Amino acid sequence: MSNTSKDSKIECVEEDTSTLNQISETETKDWTSCTNTCRTLADALREPSFRSPLGEAGVIETLSRLLQESSGEQVDFRIQALRVLGNLCFDHVDNRKRVKDAGIIRILASYFDNRDSDSLIRTVCGFCLNSSMDYAPILIEMAEVGIAKKLVELIEPEKEDDGSITLALKTLDNLVGEDDARKLIATPSTVKTYMSMFEYYFKSGEYIEELDNMEDLVDTLLQLIMDDDNLQNVIIDIDGLFVLLDFLEYSKIEDEEDKNKLEDIQKTVSKIAIYASSTDSKMNELYDNQLILSRLLEMAKNKESEVVHQCAVYILGNLARSDDHCVQLTNKYNLSELLLNLYQTTENAIFQYAILGCLKHLCLPAANKETIGNSRCLVIISPMLDNSKDMLKRNQFLTIGIIKLLCIGNYKNARQIIEENDTLSLVISFIKRVDDVAAKSEATRILTNLVKTVWIEKDNTDLKAKLLDANIIEPIIELIRTSTFPILKNDGIMALTLVFSDLIPEPILEKVVADPPAPKITQDEKGLDQQQNVDNEERSFLQVLTDDIGLENNEIPTQIKSNACVLLCKIAEATNASVAQDYSTVIAPLKSLALERLKQLSSNSSDNPNQ
């Protein structure tokens, strides 16, 4: 635009602004002049440079007054006025604030009732989108005055203008990003409306031409239901799960450029299906539905689409949350074998996470442990603990959980871990390598479970000997020494008590009476050496154990204190049997303390049976 034409246009805009101000002050309004003036201004405001001056000139406040005085007969004026306001708000936060302060949003709520004018509805929707973009105060106000609900009501196939539906979907997708606004429309009615529109787009085939609308629709639906069990149940109650699964399996598109967008939509639909199937109240209903169960098992085998079989595995994991379901899925439907086959055929870390999560559920019932152990599960999944996989922390944590569950109370799996593959060495290396306290503790519980499972079995001196290794006992000692969780301390205490019931090799005794590990040496930003005790525990193992026993004001339950006393006595007995060193000066006082404290705890328990 040349300077001359721009100056001329500025003069016209100023004249139009003056005209609106004059009309607003007259008692009898010239609505035709208002309409024409607004049309000119709206067209001029396509030029961004006019938006700030006009906003500062008070046009928004003037239009607010005029809109309040207008009636249902002034539809054309309302349309043009909203065009002005919408263009003023485009990429302009200051004007959005002025719109809110001028009370425009409340004025518009009644306009949605005029369904005779598609143009007015469409223009109102466009204004709502422009004025609320990235501006929470207007988004929240739209929800509070009922505009958001009116926008939801527009999402009705074949009954509303397509342009209005598109603008409504985009505005609502912005709105659900604000918690306060979302809560006001997060209702069963809204979910049903969105599912109805989703089904229409899919079954009519219009989704191919309406990918942008589909993207907004499913994104909003996901945000509505993801934290609300009741709304998730609504999808199940209206048989929406079948529609979602149909879309995942059968939606196709030829255009190469649109395939990525469709895949993103499918991923969101998959999440909706997973959330919808996740509530406790619907678990049995879904599992008992053979149409759904058989379909999910077939979808899990789908090699054409990773999205499809990922979704199926996640939903099967949702259904595998009771022992009965897990036993049936493992022994009747061979789900564990299917999962392990899938695991070996994908390098997709997200899919592996889904598989491991479902597999972990299946490992919980005692009846499944041997079946899953026999299917080479340990050999297949344990390489996830290799240091080359350390970027996949979530997957490693699930792997640890599976190994831990498989060896709890199952001697055959415990023997397999110790003797038949690299699982044990991978676990030990993992414990030594990682700094994450939760991961280290959970991996150490594999070792405690191995000890407990092996020690209660008869005639297994060979396995015991392999577990009486400093690389195995030392992490258990550290678990007791450093953990702040009583249940973890007790796990280590019980394991070591079993170990010290037998003749103990000298290197193990040395670990028990040793000083705490030296702090790690790290460098600060200036390159200077800094001592850092990673676990923040500076006491020795024996100091911690005696403090756990002796201090009255700690959070260690009485039963665990009693268990610690027994362990300390076992350690004392083992050191007395040592011929290599004399530990009496260290251990004798501790044994006396343990026996006295055990007597006190037993007495207290008798006096307070509920303790």
Side-chain angles (χ1 to χ4, degrees), residues 280-536:
D280 292 341
S281 58
K282 293 295 180 183
M283 181 179 69
N284 289 333
E285 177 184 329
L286 291 174
Y287 185 82
D288 292 338
N289 188 323
Q290 283 301 306
L291 286 176
I292 290 178
L293 187 58
S294 59
R295 179 170 188 179
L296 291 172
L297 291 166
E298 285 302 313
M299 286 174 64
K301 302 172 188 175
N302 187 314
K303 294 182 179 179
E304 294 182 9
S305 169
E306 205 159 62
V307 174
V308 170
H309 60 194
Q310 277 187 44
C311 179
V313 168
Y314 270 116
I315 296 177
L316 287 167
N318 286 339
L319 303 184
R321 287 181 293 131
S322 79
D323 281 3
D324 288 345
H325 292 181
C326 288
V327 171
Q328 275 194 1
L329 286 168
T330 300
N331 295 287
K332 181 177 179 181
Y333 298 107
N334 300 315
L335 179 58
S336 58
E337 289 188 19
L338 172 59
L339 293 173
L340 290 169
N341 287 336
L342 289 171
Y343 185 86
Q344 294 176 88
T345 57
T346 181
E347 293 296 323
N348 184 319
I350 296 174
F351 188 28
Q352 287 179 337
Y353 177 78
I355 294 167
L356 291 169
C358 187
L359 192 59
K360 186 179 177 184
H361 288 178
L362 299 182
C363 291
L364 282 164
N368 281 353
K369 296 182 189 295
E370 189 162 328
T371 302
I372 296 174
N374 288 340
S375 59
R376 300 183 66 252
C377 175
L378 293 163
V379 177
I380 293 168
I381 69 167
S382 58
M384 179 58 70
L385 300 183
D386 187 77
N387 60 3
S388 64
K389 305 288 187 180
D390 280 355
M391 294 297 290
L392 306 175
K393 294 186 184 300
R394 295 195 314 162
N395 292 11
Q396 287 183 328
F397 202 82
L398 284 174
T399 302
I400 290 165
I402 292 169
I403 298 170
K404 182 191 75 173
L405 288 171
L406 287 178
C407 69
I408 293 176
N410 190 283
Y411 181 72
K412 188 172 182 180
N413 287 341
R415 175 178 284 276
Q416 189 182 153
I417 292 169
I418 297 166
E419 288 190 335
E420 296 181 15
N421 55 64
D422 295 330
T423 302
L424 184 56
S425 61
L426 285 165
V427 170
I428 292 169
S429 297
F430 181 85
I431 293 169
K432 289 180 177 180
R433 188 175 70 245
V434 299
D435 292 327
D436 182 271
V437 174
K440 188 187 289 284
S441 298
E442 196 68 1
T444 303
R445 294 186 80 187
I446 294 174
L447 305 181
T448 62
N449 285 321
L450 286 173
V451 168
K452 287 186 280 187
T453 300
V454 167
W455 250 259
I456 62 173
E457 198 73 23
K458 295 179 180 179
D459 301 324
N460 58 2
T461 306
D462 57 333
L463 287 189
K464 285 184 178 181
K466 290 181 179 179
L467 291 176
L468 286 174
D469 182 283
N471 289 320
I472 292 171
I473 301 303
E474 187 172 10
I476 300 176
I477 292 171
E478 283 298 287
L479 181 69
I480 300 170
R481 190 182 76 84
T482 63
S483 180
T484 57
F485 297 99
I487 191 170
L488 296 184
K489 279 183 177 289
N490 193 53
D491 205 35
I493 287 168
M494 299 304 290
L496 280 192
T497 301
L498 290 170
V499 168
F500 277 89
S501 298
D502 291 344
L503 186 64
I504 300 300
E506 196 67 29
I508 302 299
L509 289 176
E510 292 173 358
K511 294 292 182 184
V512 169
V513 299
D515 292 330
K520 287 187 177 181
I521 302 298
T522 59
Q523 287 191 333
D524 62 16
E525 294 178 356
K526 297 179 181 179
L528 300 175
D529 287 349
Q530 297 284 325
Q531 286 193 342
Q532 181 184 14
N533 208 318
V534 175
D535 49 41
N536 297 318

